Amino acid sequence: MRFMKKLMAVGFACLMSVSLAGCGGDEKTSEGVSGAFQVYTRDSSSGTREAFEKGVDFEGELTKKAHEVASNDDMAAKVGADLNGIGYTSLSTDFEKNGVKALKYEGVEASTETVLDGSYGLQRPFMFVTRAAGDFESEEKETLVAAFLDFMQNSKEGMAIVKKNGGEVDESKAVAWSELAPKYESVLNQDNSGITITTAGSTSVEKTLKASLEAFSPMAGNFKFVMNQSGSSDAYPRVLGSEKDGANRADIGFASRTFKDEEPVDGAMLSGQYCIDAVVAIVNKDNAIENLTQEQLKGIFTGATKNWEDLEK
């Protein structure tokens, strides 16, 4: 009788726990998740994808089972809804909102300090390029574009906004906007509400760019702006290349990578880098894993390593 009661108790306990870990099989690993990886990747035009694949060293070797997503926010949302998911995104992403967490890379956490000192290995520049001098719709717009970029990349006020929104900057090089503004006095003190500045390119820059434009417009005659970010590969064509005079024309293009040899920016009025960003591998917030190495990430994203429990602990 005692044996039967004990047997029934064991069976009941197993039945109650089966939905979480199974009974005698399919148990979660010590990292909190088991089964096949669900790999998420950005589209081929993405500077984030290029930076991640180059950094982890698997260009051209991505598993054919990867799920392609359209933006940083889309990536975070998909991984946040998938316990077995793994992807990558910009450090400026709102991780908590999307239910994901950023992993350490080779034991190093992405932060302002580790990005600026180079100890965090997966990083990339946020670059900009403009139309050619004299190729804007008006001299006023051309001056406003120059003033905005100066504000965003060189002023104390602008750099603080970029940093607050996830871009890493060296604030020791910043200059007060009051020292820079006199160069643009001819347009800053007039009504510019009839002027619209259009931006294009990388989706990764959206958070830093939008905050900067919103802050600068009231300081510069309340100009309007339209952000049309669709991927780094669209930056050059829309300001200097094949689309610069068409319906998709833009005034400033942004890339979350360096511009390529086939994207010559020497003809631009202005081009350069306004901050550094980190690319981070992300997983669902309920996944207990905290760190992955370059070798582990390469195995996951090429398909050589297939299941969470196959990761070397």
Side-chain angles (χ1 to χ4, degrees):
M1 187 69 174
R2 289 179 180 175
F3 174 76
M4 289 298 295
K5 287 181 177 180
K6 185 175 181 180
L7 184 62
M8 290 175 65
V10 171
F12 179 74
C14 184
L15 181 64
M16 291 297 290
S17 64
V18 69
S19 64
L20 295 176
C23 188
D26 293 329
E27 294 188 0
K28 288 184 178 180
T29 70
S30 61
E31 298 296 354
V33 62
S34 65
F37 297 109
Q38 293 299 315
V39 174
Y40 292 87
T41 188
R42 285 290 308 279
D43 55 283
S44 59
S45 69
S46 167
T48 312
R49 174 171 172 171
E50 181 175 324
F52 186 74
E53 291 189 357
K54 280 185 176 180
V56 180
D57 189 29
F58 68 94
E59 284 184 283
E61 300 178 61
L62 178 68
T63 172
K64 288 182 171 54
K65 294 183 178 181
H67 307 285
E68 191 171 287
V69 301
S71 67
N72 276 305
D73 287 342
D74 190 23
M75 172 74 79
K78 293 290 197 309
V79 176
D82 189 344
L83 184 61
N84 281 56
I86 183 168
Y88 52 88
T89 188
S90 167
L91 182 59
S92 62
T93 300
D94 190 333
F95 302 115
E96 184 176 354
K97 172 187 173 183
N98 289 286
V100 297
K101 67 177 177 181
L103 300 180
K104 295 178 182 177
Y105 178 67
E106 296 285 1
V108 180
E109 182 179 357
S111 68
T112 297
E113 293 72 27
T114 61
V115 171
L116 291 180
D117 69 18
S119 58
Y120 182 79
L122 293 177
Q123 55 177 276
R124 40 69 182 280
F126 277 2
M127 309 293 291
F128 64 85
V129 63
T130 71
R131 302 182 71 83
D135 195 30
F136 293 82
E137 293 169 342
S138 67
E139 290 184 13
E140 288 81 7
K141 177 185 277 195
E142 183 170 315
T143 302
L144 278 175
V145 167
F148 168 66
L149 291 172
D150 203 1
F151 170 80
M152 183 170 64
Q153 69 171 329
N154 295 318
S155 76
K156 289 181 179 179
E157 297 86 343
M159 291 174 77
I161 291 168
V162 170
K163 182 175 180 179
K164 182 180 179 180
N165 288 277
E168 306 305 338
V169 295
D170 184 355
E171 292 182 288
S172 68
K173 300 179 180 179
V175 178
W177 176 240
S178 61
E179 296 181 35
L180 301 172
K183 292 184 290 183
Y184 314 103
E185 194 171 13
S186 62
V187 295
L188 295 182
N189 298 323
Q190 67 182 27
D191 178 11
N192 292 312
S193 59
I195 297 176
T196 300
I197 293 175
T198 302
T199 70
S202 172
T203 64
S204 298
V205 308
E206 284 180 321
K207 193 174 180 182
T208 55
L209 176 58
K210 184 179 181 183
S212 299
L213 285 164
E214 288 177 340
F216 189 64
S217 177
M219 301 164 59
N222 295 303
F223 66 86
K224 296 180 177 63
F225 61 88
V226 174
M227 293 172 55
N228 192 351
Q229 312 306 124
S230 54
S232 293
S233 64
D234 283 338
Y236 177 82
R238 294 176 63 180
V239 298
L240 290 174
S242 59
E243 298 180 56
K244 75 180 186 70
D245 296 319
N248 289 326
R249 61 181 288 142
D251 300 302
I252 317 172
F254 290 87
S256 49
R257 55 165 173 76
T258 55
F259 288 103
K260 301 177 180 179
D261 291 342
E262 59 268 30
E263 299 170 320
V265 299
D266 53 320
M269 176 181 72
L270 293 168
S271 64
Q273 173 182 311
Y274 74 93
C275 73
I276 302 173
D277 181 48
V279 181
V280 291
I282 58 170
V283 294
N284 183 283
K285 66 179 177 60
D286 293 324
N287 190 328
I289 199 165
E290 300 289 340
N291 174 72
L292 286 173
T293 65
Q294 183 269 337
E295 184 178 358
Q296 288 172 322
L297 284 172
K298 184 174 182 177
I300 294 168
F301 280 85
T302 60
T305 310
K306 302 186 182 304
N307 302 300
W308 284 100
E309 54 267 41
D310 296 335
L311 287 174
E312 294 183 9
K313 306 300 188 294

